[in-house]
Structure formats: structure tokens, C-alpha cells
Amino acid sequence: MNPNLNHLQPYPFEKLARLKQGIVPPTDKAHIALSIGEPKHITPHIIQEALITHMHGLSAYPSTRGLPELRQSMSEWIARRFQIPADLLDPETQILPVNGTREALFSFAQCLVEPSEKPLVLMPNPFYQIYEGAALLAGAQPYFLNTTEENAYLPDFDTVPESVWRRCQLLYICSPGNPTGAVIPQTQLEYLIELAERYDFVIASDECYSEIYADENNPPTGLLEAAVAIGNTEFKRCVIFHSLSKRSNAPGLRSGFVAGDAEILQRYFQYRTYHGCAMPVPTQHASIAAWRDEAHVVDNRQLYREKFSAFKDILSEATAVTIPPASFYIWLKTPVSEIQFAQQLFASENVTVLPGSYLSRPFNESDPGRNHVRIALVAPIYECIDAARRIKNFIHTL
Ligand SMILES: Cc1ncc(COP(=O)(O)O)c(C=O)c1O
């Protein structure tokens, strides 16, 4: 067996199941799950209809590159959303469909990393655990960039030693961030692209929360936008990852894309051909409908805003609550350890939240997940309101 498998950590939800094991929560309070980042709003009808209408597409093997009209719909969306001139991104060579960003974020490292060079893969901490597993199974060592309140929950790239940059082959960034909701400003992205050029590494920009943001007039900036701003119009060393899971409430569709550097995507295309992960044709048609429609995305954001606002109004009576600029998470500071908080909250109020340390690693003498829990406002608003009241009551007992 691949010895690197031994380095993989249990997934956060396995740890959470163990934490809750044997506890019997009060039976008069219905369970509210705010732990998993699975959107619960309705998948728009246009997506469901397109899927059903194209069921006959199951009779054909899909191609790895996907239908030209799918890649066209993605490139038009990128141009609209990030104000990138439409002719800069060639859907023939610079976009590939993926079956959700999870598999792509994982397989990208397998394709990209050169293991004999003692490679480092840099990533934020706390983080989406796939980055770490992808690095380890690709034969690289993860190097963490702690995101703490002091640095506005953003990685501080200036603290990374030069020796680390020299060994860095791949940098994962997550903006808007899971679990903090922090957005990396465009100037930082531009700086990163310059670093990538100087030290010859690739930036994998996980932007799967880019469409869930608080200020309708201030959408999060993206890596390709930053590349264009500094004249990197071929998107050298830049690859973005986008998903319909959060944007369009379609986590079960398994649909997203990667876009950027044509040379990298050519090799990644070759990798994917062997990996065997083409997107089924009906899914492709449903995805076209989704990328072409923006109205459902605007409505979706509004639903989250209402939940954030109601949740904050109630919980602020017990503790400081900050609504993040983007994502559907609240990264709440806990008055006791995050483990104790999550366990006792479940035991007394039947509400599940995720201890921050299940999403982080101790690094450079600190663990940025400590004393935080991640609260995913995915449940319907009445449940979020109920949960806020119960968490408030619970904090008052501490
Ligand atoms: C930061 C981040 N990236 C990627 C994903 C994967 O999303 P999907 O595979 O549904 O596109 C998730 C899912 O929760 C996530 O939180």
C-alpha cells in the first residue's frame, strides 16, 4: 500500500462523530446541524429541469474536455463575474469541467507535484482538509500559513522564509476562506502572483465560496482578475477552482471547473483522461443552465444575509459575533475550549457545531483552530434562529 496513506488524518466529521458518541441530547429539542457546509436551499428548477431534459445523454460516454457549449458558458461567466476581457480566456485550452472542486483540488496536486524534489505544498491553516491529503498523497510535505484574528484571518505571506518559498511547488489559497469567510484583497493576490513567478510555483485558488458574499456591490476579487491587473494575461502559474455546489445549491450535482494557465491545464487534461473523471452529459447541460443564470445566485445571497442578520441579532446578546465578508460560516470565538463548547452544546441544546481544531493543525507553536467553532448557516432561517437562541442560552450557562 502507498505508505503516504498512513499520514492521512481522519476527516473532521469522523472526529465530530466520536466527540458526540454516547451523549444523549435532550429529546424535547430537535437536532440542528450547523456543522457540515452543505447548502440546504432548494436547487433551482432550471438546473433540475435541464438535468431531466437531457437524461438521454446517459447513452454516450462524455469526453474529459466536456461539451464546447459548457466551456463557453463557463468562460462567459468568468468574463462577466471578474470583468476579464472575453477574448483573454480561451475555452478550448484554458477551462476544464470537474466533478466538483473536491476531486479537482485533490487530483491537481497529484498531477502537479514533482515528489523527488522534497516539495512543499503551502496552504492556509485552518483549511479545507483535502489540501493536506492531496499534498501528502502526492509525496509533498504540507506547510501551513496560520490565519488568526491578529492578521484578519488572512495568511501572512511575508512571514514565510525564503527557503520555504524555494521548495514550494504548489500554494493553495482559499478566498473567501473556509472556515473564516475572509477575502484575500486583490493587492495580496497580485503580490502572490509575483512570488509565484519569482520562486516558480503554481497557485491553486479555491474560490468555491466566491458567490456567497455580504455586500452586493463588493463581490470578492478572484485570482485571474488580479493576474490581468498586473499584465499576466496568460494567467501563468494561476489556476482557479469554481463550483456550483455553494453558488447554485447543487452539491449533489458534482459540478465545477478549473481555469487559467493553458500549459498547466494541458498536462492536467492529460492526467484527467487517465484518471477517468469526465462529467456525465446530463450534468453538463444542467451546469450550462446554472452558469448562464445569475438571478438564482442573487436570491441565494439574500437568503444568507437574512440568516446572518437574524443569527447575529440574537447571539450578540451573549458573545461577540462578526458577520464575515463572504461564505456562509461564522467563525465564533469560544469562552471555553472549542471541544468542550461543541460537546456541551450538543449535550445540552442538541445543536451541532464543528470544533475549529478539527480544521487546523498545530504549527509554529500555535493552533489557530483553538478556541473557535465553525457554525455553518445552512439550515432554514427558522432553524438558524432557534439555534442562535439555544447557543445564547448555552453561553449564559458557562
Ligand atoms: C473550501 C472548499 N473547497 C472546496 C469544497 C468542495 O466543494 P465541491 O466539491 O462540492 O465543489 C468545499 C466543500 O465544502 C470547501 O469548503
Side-chain angles (χ1 to χ4, degrees):
M1 295 292 265
N2 183 340
N4 289 329
L5 283 167
N6 298 328
H7 302 306
L8 295 182
Q9 293 240 6
Y11 216 59
F13 300 106
E14 281 175 61
K15 294 183 185 173
L16 185 61
R18 254 183 268 139
L19 184 73
K20 291 165 62 180
Q21 212 165 22
I23 298 174
V24 183
T27 46
D28 59 330
K29 292 176 182 161
H31 180 238
I32 303 177
L34 302 177
S35 44
I36 303 186
E38 180 186 34
K40 300 276 185 220
H41 302 162
I42 292 165
T43 307
H45 281 289
I46 46 158
I47 299 178
Q48 300 191 31
E49 290 303 321
L51 190 64
I52 294 164
T53 309
H54 290 90
M55 272 308 167
H56 60 273
L58 290 177
S59 60
Y61 271 123
S63 70
T64 303
R65 225 181 262 293
L67 298 165
E69 54 271 44
L70 173 63
R71 279 175 282 114
Q72 188 64 35
S73 71
M74 292 161 169
S75 94
E76 285 167 9
W77 180 79
I78 296 169
R80 267 199 319 274
R81 168 63 176 81
F82 296 109
Q83 287 140 45
I84 290 172
D87 56 344
L88 278 191
L89 200 68
D90 180 1
E92 281 308 301
T93 57
Q94 293 182 293
I95 302 183
L96 283 175
V98 298
N99 295 316
T101 43
R102 181 180 181 140
E103 65 91 353
L105 288 161
F106 177 80
S107 59
F108 192 66
Q110 316 314 306
C111 165
L112 194 105
V113 168
E114 154 63 283
S116 65
E117 307 252 306
K118 287 195 183 326
L120 292 175
V121 172
L122 274 56
M123 63 195 70
N125 185 31
F127 55 92
Y128 179 52
Q129 195 158 313
I130 297 302
Y131 312 149
E132 182 194 47
L136 291 167
L137 285 180
Q141 191 185 328
Y143 182 96
F144 299 111
L145 303 160
N146 291 355
T147 62
T148 58
E149 193 181 14
E150 292 74 54
N151 50 29
Y153 296 114
L154 293 172
D156 183 354
F157 299 107
D158 284 328
T159 59
V160 177
E162 176 145 15
S163 56
V164 169
W165 284 126
R166 276 205 227 99
R167 284 174 58 202
C168 172
Q169 291 189 8
L170 176 63
L171 164 69
Y172 284 108
I173 52 174
C174 184
S175 177
N178 171 5
T180 66
V183 173
I184 303 180
Q186 183 166 324
T187 47
Q188 277 289 301
L189 295 175
E190 293 171 8
Y191 176 54
L192 274 183
I193 297 168
E194 281 160 15
L195 285 174
E197 198 172 310
R198 194 178 326 154
Y199 296 106
D200 192 20
F201 62 84
V202 172
I203 306 171
S205 182
D206 180 353
E207 302 180 359
C208 80
Y209 290 95
S210 68
E211 303 317 290
I212 317 265
Y213 50 88
D215 180 356
E216 199 58 36
N217 298 315
N218 190 19
T221 187
L223 186 69
L224 298 193
E225 207 171 355
V228 173
I230 54 167
N232 180 357
T233 51
E234 291 184 359
F235 309 114
K236 285 285 173 213
R237 299 182 179 80
C238 298
V239 177
I240 58 170
F241 295 70
H242 277 271
S243 171
L244 290 176
S245 299
K246 327 281 179 188
R247 173 189 182 268
S248 299
N249 297 312
L253 189 66
R254 312 310 303 130
S255 178
F257 66 75
V258 294
D261 187 320
E263 236 174 276
I264 297 171
L265 288 190
Q266 174 52 29
R267 300 312 303 273
Y268 187 45
F269 165 71
Q270 186 186 21
Y271 177 93
R272 293 181 68 77
T273 315
Y274 279 83
H275 192 53
C277 45
M279 183 186 285
V281 173
T283 309
Q284 294 193 44
H285 283 283
S287 306
I288 293 171
W291 291 116
R292 287 198 173 143
D293 183 69
E294 217 48 53
H296 74 273
V297 190
V298 176
D299 293 347
N300 194 35
R301 272 195 290 278
Q302 191 50 31
L303 290 179
Y304 284 117
R305 274 184 209 121
E306 286 161 15
K307 292 200 275 190
F308 269 119
S309 163
F311 197 87
K312 182 180 172 169
D313 280 353
I314 299 164
L315 196 56
S316 295
E317 289 171 22
T319 189
V321 180
T322 308
I323 298 180
S327 85
F328 47 55
Y329 298 114
I330 287 181
W331 186 233
L332 189 77
K333 282 204 273 180
T334 54
V336 292
S337 96
E338 72 290 351
I339 305 281
Q340 195 185 340
F341 187 94
Q343 196 174 39
Q344 290 182 0
L345 176 66
F346 176 65
S348 62
E349 297 291 343
N350 208 2
V351 173
T352 307
V353 297
L354 191 65
S357 54
Y358 290 2
L359 298 163
S360 65
R361 303 285 175 257
F363 195 73
N364 278 346
E365 287 154 27
S366 82
D367 184 341
R370 282 277 141 92
N371 298 322
H372 286 80
V373 289
R374 190 189 76 176
I375 299 177
L377 293 190
V378 288
I381 187 159
Y382 66 90
E383 277 193 23
C384 290
I385 289 172
D386 193 3
R389 288 195 184 120
R390 293 197 221 170
I391 298 172
K392 182 178 80 173
N393 293 342
F394 166 69
I395 291 177
H396 280 147
T397 66
L398 290 174

